[in-house]
Amino acid sequence: MRIVKTAQERKNEILDAAEELFAAKGYDNASTNDIIAKIGIARGTLYHHFGSKEEILDALVERMTREGIDRAKTIVRDDRYPILERLTGILSSISVKGGAGKEIMEQMHKPHNALLHQKMQERLINGVVPLIAQLIAEGNESGIFETKYPEEAAEMIMIYGNIAFDDNENLTPKQKQKKGKAYIYNIEKMIGAKAGSLEKSLLRFF
Amino acid sequence: MRIVKTAQERKNEILDAAEELFAAKGYDNASTNDIIAKIGIARGTLYHHFGSKEEILDALVERMTREGIDRAKTIVRDDRYPILERLTGILSSISVKGGAGKEIMEQMHKPHNALLHQKMQERLINGVVPLIAQLIAEGNESGIFETKYPEEAAEMIMIYGNIAFDDNENLTPKQKQKKGKAYIYNIEKMIGAKAGSLEKSLLRFF
DNA sequence: AATACCAACCGACAACTTGTCGGTTAAGAG
DNA sequence: CTCTTAACCGACAAGTTGTCGGTTGGTATT
C-alpha cells in the first residue's frame, strides 16, 4: 500500500528536504535525486508537486523569507514604539536573520549557492526596503532625521546590510563589532540622525 | 590536417565564445558543448585548456574585471588631480563599467547568471574598495571629508553602487537620474563631504 | 456498498550534462 | 631525421533534469 498525503504535506516535506540538502551541498550540487531519496518518493511525485527544480528553490526562498518580512512589517506598523526603536528593530532583524535558517545563511555566500543567495536577497530587498523608507520618511517629517532621499537611503541600508553581514565567518568578534558600529554610524550620517541616537536605541535590544 | 594554436590563443578563443554564450543564454544554460561547437574544437581540447566549466567562468570574470580595476588603480594613484576628482572618477567608472561588456552586464542580474554576477561582484569589491577607502582616508586628513570609518564607507559605496546600477533596465531615464543624484547625495553625507562638492566634481566628467 | 472519479503516486526513459582517458598529430629541439 | 611533447581528438562513463503513460488510494455520489 503506497502512502498518500495531502499536497500541502508533501510539498512541505519536499521543501524540508531541499532546505537541508541545499544548506549542506548547495543548490547546484544537491540533485533532485537526493531529495526524493531522502524522503522516499518517486521522481514523478516530485514533479507532480513542483514543475522544476528551480520552482522548489523559489518556494523555499518564499518560505524562508516570509517570516522575517512579516515580522519587519509588524514592527514598522506598531506605533506604540518611537520611530527610532522601530528602525533599529528592523536593522537588528536584518543582521540577525539567522535563527532557524542560520546554517543555510552561513552556506549561502558560497559559490554553489549563488542562485539561492540572489533570490533571497531580491526578495528581502523588495520586501523590506519600502518599510525602511517609510520609517525614514516619517522620521523626516517629525524632525529626527533629515534626508532628501529616504527611498534611496533605505535601499542603501538594506543592500549593504544584507551583503556585508553575510560572508563574515572569517572575521574576529572584534572586527564584526567594529563593522556593526561603522554600519550604524554611516546610517546615522546618511539619514541625518543625531549622532549616537541609533546606536543608543539599538543597545536596548540586547 | 588539424589546426594547432598556442595555448594562449586557444584560451582566448574559448573565453570569447564563453563570453558571448553566457551573455546570450546565461552560465547555467550555456553548455560546454555550445562552446566547443561555436569554435569547432573537440571536447578534449576544451578540457585540455581548462579544468572545468567553472574554471572558464573564473578566467572570464578575471578578464572582464581586470581592465576596470586597473583603470581605477591608475586613477587613484594619479595625484595630479585633486582627491575629489579622483573619487568621482572611480564612481563614474563603476556605474558606467559598461563599454565593451555592456550587454553582458545587462544580462547579469538574470537568475541564470547568478554565479557570474556573484563572482564579478566579489572581484570588483575586493579590487576597488581598498582604493576608495584610501582616497577617503586621504580626504579625511586633508580636511575635505570627515568620517570615522573610511573603510566601511568605501564598502558601502561600492556594494550599493554595484548592485543598484545593475538591474536598471526597467527604469526611465528620469528615475535613473534621480537615483544617481541620490547616490551621490548619500555618499556626500556619509563621508562628510561638503554638500554638492561631489556632484560638482562629477559633472566635469561629462 | 457498489461505482466512478481524480489527485497523488510511480518508475522507466529520453535527452542532455560535465568531465575522463587512451590514442593521435603537428611542430620544434637535438 | 628522429624524439619529445603540447595540443588535439572523440568515444564513453556517470550523472542530471524533466516527461509520460499507467497505477492506486481516498472520497463523493447514488
Side-chain angles (χ1 to χ4, degrees):
Chain A
M1 23 64 179
R2 98 223 279 188
I3 298 161
V4 174
K5 303 191 177 181
T6 66
Q8 209 34 253
E9 258 178 307
R10 200 56 103 182
K11 279 188 181 179
N12 282 329
E13 213 172 22
I14 292 169
L15 292 181
D16 290 341
E19 183 164 358
E20 267 190 61
L21 286 164
F22 292 170
K25 311 170 69 171
Y27 174 72
D28 290 346
N29 297 88
S31 72
T32 51
N33 282 326
D34 291 336
I35 297 177
I36 66 181
K38 188 173 182 105
I39 52 185
I41 59 172
R43 218 164 163 59
T45 306
L46 182 79
Y47 279 90
H48 175 71
H49 292 289
F50 293 97
S52 68
K53 190 186 173 188
E54 189 167 352
E55 218 169 84
I56 296 174
L57 181 66
D58 288 336
L60 183 60
V61 166
E62 209 278 329
R63 197 177 80 165
M64 286 173 65
T65 52
R66 189 176 36 222
E67 195 193 343
I69 292 177
D70 285 351
R71 190 177 40 201
K73 270 186 193 156
T74 57
I75 291 177
V76 169
R77 287 180 188 142
D78 189 351
D79 50 13
R80 287 177 306 176
Y81 298 99
I83 293 171
L84 222 46
E85 309 259 307
R86 282 181 268 159
L87 182 57
T88 48
I90 289 186
L91 292 184
S92 68
S93 86
I94 290 169
S95 51
V96 173
K97 94 183 158 193
K102 198 182 167 212
E103 59 290 335
I104 216 175
M105 287 293 175
E106 280 169 6
Q107 295 287 333
M108 216 168 63
H109 75 283
K110 292 195 180 172
H112 51 246
N113 265 330
L115 231 200
L116 171 62
H117 186 266
Q118 194 189 58
K119 288 190 181 239
M120 286 201 70
Q121 184 175 294
E122 196 182 323
R123 239 185 91 79
L124 281 174
I125 288 173
N126 288 339
V128 180
V129 163
L131 303 175
I132 299 178
Q134 198 199 320
L135 272 184
I136 296 178
E138 275 181 44
N140 241 353
E141 283 175 38
S142 77
I144 59 168
F145 302 150
E146 189 192 338
T147 175
K148 271 158 69 182
Y149 301 99
E151 174 68 34
E152 286 79 4
E155 256 192 23
M156 208 154 163
I157 291 168
M158 182 66 207
I159 287 178
Y160 179 74
N162 195 55
I163 295 204
F165 300 106
D166 207 55
D167 48 349
N168 264 351
E169 289 132 68
N170 43 350
L171 260 54
T172 67
K174 210 167 183 177
Q175 287 174 309
K176 264 189 195 172
Q177 205 193 359
K178 187 196 167 199
K179 204 166 177 178
K181 275 200 169 198
Y183 181 49
I184 298 296
Y185 174 86
N186 284 331
I187 292 174
E188 282 172 0
K189 294 193 83 170
M190 200 161 61
I191 64 176
K194 203 178 132 209
S197 59
L198 270 184
E199 195 177 358
K200 205 174 143 199
S201 159
L202 197 55
L203 287 177
R204 259 170 270 172
F205 274 86
F206 303 105
Chain B
M1 28 64 183
R2 95 223 282 189
I3 300 159
V4 175
K5 305 190 176 180
T6 67
Q8 209 33 254
E9 258 179 308
R10 200 57 104 185
K11 278 189 180 179
N12 281 330
E13 213 173 23
I14 291 169
L15 292 180
D16 290 342
E19 182 164 359
E20 268 190 60
L21 285 164
F22 292 171
K25 311 171 70 171
Y27 174 72
D28 290 347
N29 296 89
S31 71
T32 50
N33 282 325
D34 292 336
I35 296 176
I36 65 181
K38 188 171 183 111
I39 51 185
I41 58 171
R43 248 187 125 46
T45 305
L46 182 79
Y47 280 90
H48 174 71
H49 292 288
F50 293 97
S52 69
K53 190 186 172 188
E54 190 167 351
E55 217 169 85
I56 296 174
L57 180 67
D58 288 337
L60 183 59
V61 166
E62 209 277 331
R63 198 177 78 166
M64 285 172 66
T65 52
R66 187 176 36 221
E67 196 193 342
I69 292 176
D70 284 351
R71 192 177 38 202
K73 269 185 195 156
T74 57
I75 291 177
V76 168
R77 286 179 188 145
D78 187 352
D79 51 13
R80 287 177 305 174
Y81 299 99
I83 292 171
L84 221 49
E85 309 259 307
R86 283 181 268 158
L87 181 57
T88 49
I90 289 185
L91 293 183
S92 68
S93 86
I94 290 170
S95 52
V96 174
K97 92 184 161 192
K102 197 181 166 211
E103 58 288 335
I104 217 175
M105 287 295 173
E106 280 169 6
Q107 296 285 335
M108 217 170 62
H109 75 283
K110 292 194 179 173
H112 51 246
N113 265 330
L115 230 200
L116 170 62
H117 186 266
Q118 195 190 57
K119 288 190 181 238
M120 285 201 70
Q121 184 175 293
E122 196 182 323
R123 239 186 92 80
L124 281 173
I125 288 174
N126 287 339
V128 180
V129 162
L131 303 176
I132 299 178
Q134 198 200 319
L135 272 184
I136 295 178
E138 276 182 42
N140 242 352
E141 283 176 39
S142 77
I144 59 168
F145 302 150
E146 189 192 337
T147 175
K148 270 158 66 182
Y149 301 99
E151 174 69 34
E152 286 79 6
E155 255 192 24
M156 206 153 165
I157 290 168
M158 181 68 206
I159 288 178
Y160 178 74
N162 195 54
I163 296 205
F165 301 105
D166 205 56
D167 49 349
N168 263 351
E169 290 131 66
N170 43 350
L171 260 54
T172 66
K174 211 169 183 176
Q175 286 174 309
K176 265 189 194 170
Q177 206 193 359
K178 187 197 168 200
K179 204 166 178 179
K181 275 200 169 198
Y183 180 49
I184 297 297
Y185 174 86
N186 284 331
I187 293 175
E188 282 172 0
K189 294 193 82 170
M190 200 160 62
I191 65 176
K194 203 178 133 211
S197 59
L198 270 185
E199 194 175 359
K200 203 174 144 200
S201 159
L202 197 55
L203 287 178
R204 257 170 271 171
F205 273 87
F206 303 105

